[in-house]
Structures are given as C-alpha cells and as structure tokens.
Amino acid sequence: MSIATPLFRFDDSYARDLEGLFEPWRAAQVPAPHLLMLNAALAAELDLDVEALSSPEGVSVLVGNAITEGSSPIAMAYSGHQFGNYSPRLGDGRALLLGELIDPQGRRRDVHLKGSGRTPFARGGDGKAAIGPMLREYVISEAMHALGIPTTRALAVVATGERIARDTPLPGAVLVRVASSHLRVGTFQYAAATGDFDLLRRTADYAIARHFADVATADQPYLAFYARVVAAQAALVAQWMHVGFIHGVMNTDNTTISGETIDYGPCAFMDRHDPGTVFSSIDHGGRYAYGNQPGILQWNLARLAEALLPLIHADAERAIAAATEVLRGFDEHYLFAWRSGMRAKLGIERDSAEVAQWIDGVPALLAQQQVDHTLFFRRLSEAARGNAAAVRSLFADPTAFDAWASTWRQLLPASEEGRLAVAQSMDRVNPIYIPRNQHVEHALAAATGGDLQPIQQLVEVISRPFVERPGLDAYAQPAPADDAPYVTFCGT
Ligand code: AMP
Ligand code: MG
C-alpha cells in the first residue's frame, strides 16, 4: 500500500550517492499496528503533522506496513568490531532507513525503523524487536536529549500486534528513530573492505558534506575529517561520563560519525559510582564497563583510521603516521571536555593545572564509598548554598568528604551572592531526574503488559531533568541497596 498524503517529504541523498552501501528493502507486514508512543515535541521540531501521524494511515507508515509516495526504504550495509571481533557484514538486519527529511532549520535528518523485519543483512535473526527494548531506547534517548547530550531521537514506538519468539513470547514493536545520519565507523570499515577506492572516497565525501562541510576545503580534507570525528566523539563520551551513562555495546557499528549516541541496547545509568559498573548480560569481561568507555572509544577511532588510511595518503606509512598523530590528540580532547564539564558540575570557574589535577581525583572520591553519582552532584549545590548535610549523608564515612569539601569551598566565590549564583548554575547541569533503573524496569514491564501510564509519566519526568518538582521524589532515588544487581539485555 502506498499513501499519497505527504506525511514525510523525503530527499534520499544516501541512496543517491552511495550505491554499494545498501539494499533497497521493504518492511515486513504486521497484523495489528497500534501506536504506543508518539513524540509530539520532536514531531513539531520536524514540522510533521501529529494528527496525521497518529491516524490509522500514519501509524501504518510508522510501522512500515505502508509507505508514503516517493519513499524508497533501504537497509544500510556496514561492518563492525563486536566485542573486539571483526564481522565483515553486519548491516541493518532488522532496520530500514525510511528516508531523509530536511527539518525547518535546514538540517538533514534520517527517519529510520527498527524491528521492521528481516533484511538481506539479518543473518540468523528474526528481524523483530520486542516492546520493552524499543521503549527503553525511547526513554533513554529522550533522557539523553533532555540532558543536552547529542543523540538519535525517538519519534514513535508502534506495537505490531504479533508475538515474537524470545525466551518467552513477547509482544513485538517497531521504533521510529531520527538521527542526523546513520553513518558509523562500521560504514567506513565496510566501504574500505570492498577494496573499491572510489566507494570509500564517495563515502567520506558524503560524510564531510553532511557533517563537517567546512573541512572540504582543508589542505588534507580526509585527515581533517578524521580529526573532527575524533573530537566530536571525545566530547560525546565525556558527556556520558558526566552523567554516569553506560552504553553497554560500544561496537564500531554503534559509534557514529556525527558524534551522536546511537543504538540503545543494554544501556543504563549507574547509581553507585563504580568504574567497573556493567549492566549488559553479555558483557562478561567488562569490556564496555563505565570506566573503560573513553579507552574503548579511542580503540574504535583507531579502527576508523585504518579504514580511512588510503584516503589520507597514498603512501601507507605516511598515512599511518598522520592518522596516529590525530588519534594521539584524543586524550587531550577528551580531558578538555571532561574537565570543563566537571568544573561546571562542581561550580568551579577557576581553571589551572592544580584545579585540573584536583578534579581528576573526584571519581576516586566517589568510587571509594560508592556514592550515588547523580545525587552527589545534585546535592552539592545545597552545600554551595551553605547546607552540606544532604550531600555529606551520602558518604558512609564522611571524613573523606569533609577533607575534599574544604578544598572545594576554597574554589567557590568568596561572597554569598557569588556562591548562590554558582549553586543555581550547578543545578542547570546536574540532573535531579535520570531514568533510574527500577523505574525504567517497572515502566517497561507495565507497558509490555498493556499499561502505558508509568512509561508516559517517566518520559515526562526525564524530559525536564534539571527542574525539581513536587511529588516526584521517588524518581530522584536510586534503587534500594539490597536490590539484586541490575542486568540489561541486548539485541532482543
Ligand atoms: P545491535 O547490537 O542492535 O547494534 O545489532 C548488531 C547487529 O545485529 C546489527 O547488524 C543488527 O541489525 C543485527 N540484529 C540485532 N538483532 C537482530 C534481529 N532480531 N534480527 C536480525 N538482525 C538483528
Ligand atoms: Mg547497532
């Protein structure tokens, strides 16, 4: 079925420019689509008609049963290192790029379906997704967006009306997500592995035009492009570290070129600060633990460099030397972004080598007593206002905090007025509401059973993470310490 109403006006640059990196494909038909979540704010941002999207015709487009006139969905090809092992042919096994639209601000955005049936890249998978994981992506990606962290967005989740085979049969769903693009490190690994130099060059030119247009005129555009991806990704992972976000499956196919967070699988926010925190049921070795994320990202960016080498210089040794030099800059970019963000979180304006060194010790302070990451920073603003009791009570042995806080106070403004202003600015960067694991779990279980109220309320709460509101105290609290360890599941 094709629908004439222009729900989306697509302009498909990827399909036009990158022949060889996709397969035209259609979504599987599903029996009884039913809209679970629609992101009205995002729809407005994209100048989409919410009423039309929620109509039966709109929902059939969102789930992939129908396509708007002129739409040519594709499954994208990419490779990837998964947990360090290279897979030459991953690609959209259960996803489709529906099309690209230009938003009112002139930005090109991908509209993408996940869970829309098997594609030529499906390998052994069924091409399907369950309601729970698709709603998890909706909640967590919208939380990240509200926190000011670059991310793909969630436009809608549509239940399919079918049961899919998992450990127990589960209701199926399709997620509609929006991204500034779906170019990944794995896209370049795939293009490079074809051995087709022209395809690799076209892919890089495409990525440059789409994301870093100003480097096109640089002396060495492909090296400059690489440097920009390194900088964008270093800044991104620093923001993850600030809020205690653990991606869970930082494979190279889940690392974007744009610098947006993508592919929310077994991800979660850490409560107690511990660099070894892992939630994913399949991450046995802790490869993607909280504290490993910057190092893993650098490893992924080295894989991007390998793919780009032929473009950087015809002479392999010179190409390696130039790319290595750029990759060495990762630490500096990361530390700059991480320390700047930490100064904002701690309310410290002064920037010096001593301050930087002192800031570098903050994670150890939190880790020693496994203090709640989010509450520590949020309650610290109360201490700037003169009442340290709340933050102090997070420490089982508060003497370490007292010693730390006496240095911290010396770094605050001397005047009371100045300290109050600092406290306010801290509250603008330190969230009180994050998607706490027990609330996410409760909301996903309720939604799977047909009750959408908890997830709608959770989305409402996390969409304004910095503004404390009455009646929402439970959302600000970590799970009770005696709860079983939280485990998240990937690819389900
Ligand atoms: P992810 O872990 O979601 O990034 O997925 C890794 C790879 O597995 C991608 O190529 C996905 O398209 C593919 N994949 C994950 N789940 C399924 C599924 N149920 N059916 C087909 N392909 C899948
Ligand atoms: Mg993926």
Side-chain angles (χ1 to χ4, degrees), residues 78 82 90-94 122-123 125-128 253-254 263 491:
Y78 49 85
Q82 300 179 300
L90 292 172
D92 289 335
R94 56 164 173 174
R123 295 169 292 156
D126 64 356
K128 302 291 183 180
D253 53 307
N254 294 336
D263 261 2

Side-chain angles (χ1 to χ4, degrees), residues 40 192 197 364 422 434 463:
F197 180 79
V422 158
I434 55 162
S463 298

Side-chain angles (χ1 to χ4, degrees), residues 142-149 239 243 269 429 431 433-435 462 465-466:
E142 286 308 302
M144 295 289 270
H145 172 70
L147 291 166
I149 301 176
Q239 287 191 280
V243 298
F269 285 78
V429 295
Y433 307 118
I434 55 162
I462 55 87
F466 302 111

Side-chain angles (χ1 to χ4, degrees), residues 75-133:
M76 294 166 132
Y78 49 85
S79 312
H81 279 87
Q82 300 179 300
F83 290 89
N85 302 309
Y86 182 63
S87 285
R89 189 179 153 93
L90 292 172
D92 289 335
R94 56 164 173 174
L96 291 174
L97 176 63
L98 211 53
E100 302 156 28
L101 47 81
I102 313 289
D103 74 15
Q105 293 186 40
R107 295 173 303 187
R108 183 176 289 277
R109 317 275 290 264
D110 280 3
V111 180
H112 179 99
L113 306 183
K114 185 164 171 180
S116 50
R118 302 192 74 227
T119 75
F121 302 103
R123 295 169 292 156
D126 64 356
K128 302 291 183 180
I131 282 182

Side-chain angles (χ1 to χ4, degrees), residues 140-219:
I140 310 283
S141 65
E142 286 308 302
M144 295 289 270
H145 172 70
L147 291 166
I149 301 176
T151 177
T152 63
R153 303 285 308 275
L155 179 63
V157 176
V158 183
T160 60
E162 62 188 1
R163 296 223 148 231
I164 62 171
R166 296 294 182 261
D167 287 346
T168 54
L170 290 173
V174 168
L175 168 79
V176 186
R177 83 176 169 204
V178 174
S180 72
S181 87
H182 282 81
L183 297 170
R184 313 142 187 270
V185 169
T187 312
F188 283 89
Q189 293 182 290
Y190 187 95
T194 63
D196 178 348
F197 180 79
D198 182 60
L199 177 62
L200 180 62
R201 192 174 43 77
R202 279 189 289 125
T203 311
D205 289 342
Y206 178 85
I208 289 172
R210 195 157 171 180
H211 295 296
F212 308 104
D214 56 298
V215 310
T217 53
D219 277 352

Side-chain angles (χ1 to χ4, degrees), residues 15 73 77 89 110 160 176 193 233 235 246 273 276 339 362 392 429 461:
R89 189 179 153 93
D110 280 3
T160 60
V176 186
Q233 280 288 346
I246 300 165
H273 187 105
R339 287 172 180 157
V362 172
R392 196 171 184 272
V429 295
V461 171

